[in-house]
Amino acid sequence: MSLTVTLIEGDGIGPEVVAATREVLAATGVVIRWDVQLAGAAAVEAHGTPCPDELISSVQRNRIALKGPVGTPIGRGFRSVNVTLRKALDLYACLRPVKNIQGITTRFSGVDLVIVRENTEGLYSGLEHMVVPGVAESLKIVSERASTRIAEFAFRFARANARQSVTVVHKANIMKLSDGLFLDCCRRVGQRYPEISSQEVIVDACAMQLVRFPERFDVLVMDNLYGDILSDLCAGLVGGLGVVPGANLGDECALFEAVHGSAPDIAGKGVANPTALILSAALMLEYLGERAAAVRVREAVDHVFAKTTVRTGDLGGNSTTDEFTRAVVLAL
Ligand code: ATP
């Protein structure tokens, strides 16, 4: 039986890392029919909007998508495609596993943590206006419903994956109502998971502890903005944005994408590291029930880093995207 998956190539290095990932997936033998949809700059050209309705209905129909990065211009104009997709498809949980890879030397070892980021509200609600000229207001929305379901997701994930602890990241000492509500919801959910140790840490202290003792963290749950920032920080612990995968999950649909953005500085040069999207595709295979193929993809990536010198520029090597991809396919 073949699976149909919505495919979004995206902007910048998107088409390059997507092509690499398709090659690796093809080599697994899992047959996937790609429903290619436009987003970002290509969609603006074709449809006048970066996030066309056709794209949203394609993901709703297929219930699963693989996505390259889509850039969002800073300042006025279109709303972020990423934020629009996550809201329209109610992809409320963003899951980012961050783990050392043997063969990628960093300052840290023993890192094996998972960031669970609330994806639909917080400061990413898009509720901004100018109060008077020279004064802008941005609203941070925190609801009991969204906070409870992300907490439930994090503790359920911890239980299902034999994780030991969930750390709730917040700033409730300052934002007493909004972050206070988030923290309360997490505490209430945590009580129903007595075997999982539940901890709380203020976001600034968390940033400091993550770069001192990252090995002490297991599952971390947090709101949208903290999750965005700490995901990049955690990527830095294990080799950078080129190697950290991600999944956006809801009750109806799932969308798999790397943590990194469109990296316009290296776009079109054939030097992007496709590891993050390849590992995101492994998460997708697992979600689709293709566990053996997911394990093979991860082992092939591990093999390339552990046993060969093939590295893209972001990791200090000089291999191209194609050379790295060929090495992964060979290892498969
Ligand atoms: P966006 O606005 O789309 O989020 P950005 O430039 O702000 O893009 P990223 O694209 O996430 O941020 O990455 C920042 C930098 O990290 C890039 O400019 C690039 O140099 C590097 N980088 C990110 N992803 C990769 C990758 N897959 N391979 C190699 N380098 C990467």
Side-chain angles (χ1 to χ4, degrees):
M1 197 184 76
S2 88
L3 305 153
T4 304
V5 175
T6 300
L7 183 73
I8 303 152
E9 292 194 328
D11 298 321
I13 59 171
E16 297 160 66
V17 292
V18 164
T21 303
R22 282 181 71 164
E23 265 183 64
V24 171
L25 284 170
T28 65
V30 176
V31 181
I32 297 176
R33 198 184 76 79
W34 298 106
D35 179 1
V36 180
Q37 296 289 330
L38 298 178
V44 172
E45 218 167 275
H47 302 287
T49 165
C51 191
D53 290 344
E54 288 90 329
L55 163 59
I56 293 178
S57 40
S58 163
V59 186
Q60 280 166 336
R61 190 171 57 244
N62 299 322
R63 293 172 166 238
I64 187 140
L66 182 70
K67 174 178 165 295
V70 175
T72 303
I74 294 172
R76 281 160 208 278
F78 297 112
R79 191 167 178 208
S80 152
V81 171
N82 298 330
V83 174
T84 308
L85 279 175
R86 289 166 194 168
K87 285 202 80 160
L89 300 165
D90 203 20
L91 300 168
Y92 62 85
C94 179
L95 188 75
R96 287 165 169 179
V98 181
K99 197 173 175 192
N100 280 119
I101 297 177
Q102 197 196 339
I104 300 181
T105 312
T106 72
R107 292 186 179 84
F108 306 94
S109 58
V111 182
D112 182 8
L113 57 86
V114 179
I115 291 193
V116 175
R117 165 186 175 189
E118 203 292 319
N119 240 354
T120 62
E121 54 180 32
L123 270 168
Y124 287 55
S125 305
L127 299 172
E128 278 196 314
H129 64 276
M130 300 304 294
V131 182
V132 291
V135 181
E137 185 173 52
S138 187
L139 299 181
K140 172 165 173 160
I141 305 298
V142 177
S143 70
E144 186 174 344
R145 174 176 174 269
S147 304
T148 302
R149 74 178 175 175
I150 196 68
E152 189 65 54
F153 180 95
F155 280 93
R156 206 171 47 232
F157 175 87
R159 177 177 279 171
N161 292 278
R163 294 274 177 170
Q164 309 295 311
S165 75
V166 172
T167 302
V168 182
V169 183
H170 66 92
K171 189 81 187 175
N173 53 332
I174 304 296
M175 281 162 278
K176 293 179 191 298
L177 294 182
S178 53
D179 280 27
L181 176 60
F182 183 83
L183 183 57
D184 272 351
C185 293
C186 292
R187 281 179 181 161
R188 246 178 282 143
V189 170
Q191 282 168 3
R192 284 191 271 112
Y193 293 80
E195 81 280 18
I196 310 282
S197 149
S198 179
Q199 282 141 30
E200 297 168 7
V201 62
I202 293 172
V203 61
D204 40 347
C206 184
M208 189 268 291
Q209 287 177 27
L210 276 167
V211 295
R212 292 197 72 203
F213 322 109
E215 69 287 351
R216 292 188 189 169
F217 288 89
D218 198 342
V219 177
L220 299 98
V221 62
M222 62 198 78
D223 89 346
N224 216 333
L225 178 65
Y226 309 149
D228 194 4
I229 297 169
L230 292 186
S231 291
D232 273 29
L233 184 151
C234 289
L237 301 174
V238 296
L241 289 168
V243 298
V244 177
N248 296 290
L249 306 166
D251 294 331
E252 303 294 328
C253 307
L255 181 149
F256 296 83
E257 64 179 339
V259 173
H260 64 73
S262 56
D265 54 328
I266 55 164
K269 296 183 177 159
V271 297
N273 186 351
T275 303
L277 195 64
I278 292 171
L279 293 177
S280 304
L283 292 173
M284 180 182 88
L285 288 171
E286 204 161 323
Y287 182 89
L288 288 168
E290 296 285 351
R291 189 146 199 284
V295 170
R296 285 179 60 220
V297 168
R298 270 192 216 110
E299 285 177 355
V301 169
D302 285 347
H303 174 89
V304 172
F305 285 120
K307 305 279 187 224
T308 79
T309 54
V310 180
R311 305 275 187 281
T312 44
D314 56 315
L315 297 174
N318 52 19
S319 306
T320 62
T321 309
D322 280 350
E323 285 162 351
F324 182 85
T325 308
R326 274 202 297 277
V328 175
V329 169
L330 192 68
L332 260 170

